[in-house]
Amino acid sequence: MTVIPGSGAGAEKLNQFIERIERLEEERRALIADIKDVYAEAKASGFEPKIMRQVVRLRAMDRDLLSEQDALLDTYRDAVGLR
């Protein structure tokens, strides 16, 4: 069911959704800036942000999937002589 707002409750509801989205987008921009600052601080402390991003991505993965991918990566490395 599609609501076609004109005036009244439909338009008000749509406006509420739009305002919520705008607030969330602003929060997201602020969070992205904060994350960028943390990576810059880490780099200034001698850490490598590119590798840190990989670690963050890996930590977010399902442990079984990560284990499976690690095993496959090891197999591929062995196959092409990278060990």
Side-chain angles (χ1 to χ4, degrees):
M1 175 174 100
T2 301
V3 176
I4 302 175
S7 60
E12 185 175 330
K13 187 80 167 170
L14 175 61
N15 194 45
Q16 290 172 353
F17 284 129
I18 297 298
E19 288 174 357
R20 281 176 54 199
I21 291 167
E22 289 171 340
R23 280 191 303 273
L24 291 169
E25 289 289 345
E26 181 59 35
E27 289 176 23
R28 178 170 44 180
R29 283 189 291 274
L31 286 171
I32 289 169
D34 289 347
I35 291 168
K36 187 176 180 179
D37 290 345
V38 172
Y39 280 116
E41 185 179 342
K43 184 173 184 172
S45 295
F47 294 99
E48 180 56 51
K50 183 177 179 180
I51 302 304
M52 291 174 62
R53 289 181 202 284
Q54 289 178 350
V55 170
V56 169
R57 182 179 50 81
L58 292 171
R59 286 174 52 123
M61 289 177 66
D62 175 74
R63 295 292 178 210
D64 292 335
L65 178 60
L66 179 58
S67 180
E68 184 180 311
Q69 286 188 2
D70 282 343
L72 190 56
L73 181 58
D74 287 343
T75 301
Y76 283 23
R77 283 182 170 174
D78 288 341
V80 296
L82 287 176
R83 288 219 183 225

